[in-house]
Amino acid sequence: MTDQELLKLLHEDFEAGYVELMDTYIGLVYVIARSKLSSICSEQVMEEFVSDVFYMFSRQIEDIDLQKGTIKAYLSIIAKRKAIRTYYQQTKKQAVYSIEDKDITIALVSKENTEQTILEKERREELIQAIHNLGHPDSEIIIRKYYYGQTATEIGEQIHMRPKSVAKRSERALMKLRKKLESVKLGGLLYE
């Protein structure tokens, strides 16, 4: 079933469309959930996560423009953004306390952990600012490639460039970023 047909089905017979949507894309959303959350979330939390992603998608059906992206891309973006929020919510809970049966363990955040967290936040902010300073379309290419996980072909379709041009601009933009951020350790984010 094509994206157009699926979107039409969702508009005409929401229940049937929703079943088809889940049958087609539940594996994708579970892969994103497991890759981002399996180390910190229970299976129940991941199941709720997957349900929430499909619910969020269904709430945005009227706003979906297949000229801007595929249903797969929309679901991937929703899942990745929700995964980030879920990750921070879960780690925040775990940093404060964890309860196992009758034994209560309080995890205190040490001074070193606090300093490390602040340094990481500053590095991320520097990186984001440096990416935005690259200008259009370089900043968009970097964000789409490394944040949304899009391929050069997908990016090219979205910003109306040939995939080879996208790949070349990506390489040049990374070289610019590396020069600007030589003193910042990026933890392998930009290195493949």
Side-chain angles (χ1 to χ4, degrees):
M1 179 175 279
T2 67
D3 283 355
Q4 290 84 3
E5 293 170 340
L6 181 55
L7 203 53
K8 184 179 178 185
L9 182 60
L10 283 163
H11 286 292
E12 293 173 354
D13 183 0
F14 181 77
E15 287 184 28
Y18 197 78
V19 168
E20 181 67 30
L21 176 72
M22 288 194 69
D23 286 347
T24 305
Y25 293 108
I26 198 163
L28 168 73
V29 177
Y30 260 110
V31 166
I32 293 170
R34 289 193 195 290
S35 70
K36 306 290 184 194
L37 303 172
S38 64
S39 63
I40 60 160
C41 293
S42 67
E43 190 65 32
Q44 180 183 0
V45 171
M46 284 196 281
E47 287 175 9
E48 290 172 11
F49 170 89
V50 171
S51 295
D52 288 348
V53 168
F54 283 103
Y55 174 75
M56 291 166 73
F57 178 85
S58 69
R59 302 266 310 180
Q60 300 175 15
I61 288 174
E62 299 301 324
D63 300 327
I64 293 174
D65 181 1
L66 294 177
Q67 298 295 323
K68 293 182 179 178
T70 63
I71 290 176
K72 179 180 178 181
Y74 277 99
L75 280 168
S76 296
I77 291 168
I78 292 169
K80 288 177 182 177
R81 288 180 179 169
K82 179 150 183 58
I84 291 168
R85 286 191 301 273
T86 303
Y87 180 85
Y88 284 119
Q89 289 170 348
Q90 292 296 316
T91 55
K92 186 176 178 182
K93 288 179 189 175
Q94 291 175 2
V96 177
Y97 62 87
S98 63
I99 300 175
E100 295 177 11
D101 296 331
K102 294 183 181 181
D103 298 329
I104 298 176
T105 307
I106 299 175
L108 300 176
V109 178
S110 69
K111 182 179 177 183
E112 293 81 20
N113 288 343
T114 304
E115 289 173 2
Q116 184 66 27
T117 303
I118 291 169
L119 285 173
E120 287 173 9
K121 183 179 178 189
E122 288 173 358
R123 288 179 185 144
R124 281 192 304 270
E125 288 171 359
E126 280 185 53
L127 176 61
I128 291 167
Q129 186 59 45
I131 290 170
H132 286 291
N133 289 342
L134 290 172
H136 184 78
D138 293 348
S139 61
E140 186 171 353
I141 289 169
I142 295 298
I143 290 169
R144 286 180 178 275
K145 182 174 181 177
Y146 292 98
Y147 181 73
Y148 296 121
Q150 293 181 335
T151 65
T153 303
E154 292 171 328
I155 296 168
E157 289 173 0
Q158 296 296 312
I159 63 173
H160 309 292
M161 288 179 76
R162 291 187 320 246
K164 287 184 179 182
S165 299
V166 170
K168 195 64 173 170
R169 286 196 83 112
S170 174
E171 286 178 35
R172 289 182 188 152
L174 285 177
M175 288 191 326
K176 287 179 192 176
L177 276 175
R178 285 185 181 116
K179 287 179 184 175
K180 287 182 182 181
L181 301 170
E182 285 176 342
S183 63
V184 179
K185 293 181 181 177
L186 298 177
L189 176 65
L190 296 177
Y191 300 94
E192 294 182 17

